[in-house]
Amino acid sequence: MKKLIKMFYIGFIICEISAEGIYRVEEVAQRPRGGQFDGFKDLQVLAGFDSLNTKFIGNWPFGPSYAVAYDPLRAFVFCGSGGGVYILNVSDPSNPVKIGEIRTRGLVFGLFYHQSTQRLYIAAYAGGIEIWDVSQATNPVRLGYYFTPGYAEDVYVSGNYAYVADYDAGLRIIDVSNPSNPYQVGFYDTPGYAEDIYISCNYDK
């Protein structure tokens, strides 16, 4: 049977869909923080197309910068920009140099850098959270990801857990002890929107 291929450009995320099923598209990129537009969340795009034959092709990642993290030992700055992260060497602050970049599957709203493991945790809005090895900043490697039920707006890591401010889905607690297989261990559905988070102690039981 001849494959039927369609290209969809949604919020500058490009997907390729081939025959026989349904492809579920998450909301992406279009709602500014605190705005009212809810985009295309949970939109069933086409009957007759198979999500198992869907692959991510690419996106235009650069846009508004909502998040920044810093590695003081290497003088690197991680700057969220649209659907990606610029990695900048700021050892000479008068002449910052881009040395690498990361492309995510959603808008970058929050970053957390774990200095001892040299891992970067990204709150990627409709893309959930992503975990990246940035020990080689010129060649970052994605270790794993977890799609939260809401919109991941901020992330803070303490011990083996990533605490995610998941907008309309409240607080989500993700076990990241195995970064290639993160999973949710708990949540609290806050009465309002969870947009930022900070942890002041190490609870790792």
Side-chain angles (χ1 to χ4, degrees), residues 5-19:
I5 304 296
K6 288 191 177 291
M7 305 291 290
F8 289 91
Y9 298 82
I10 300 178
F12 289 100
I13 286 184
I14 306 167
C15 297
E16 179 181 274
I17 303 175
S18 57

Side-chain angles (χ1 to χ4, degrees), residues 102-115:
I102 290 169
R103 295 193 174 200
T104 62
R105 296 192 178 190
L107 269 178
V108 176
F109 271 96
L111 295 173
F112 182 91
Y113 176 66
H114 199 284
Q115 188 167 292

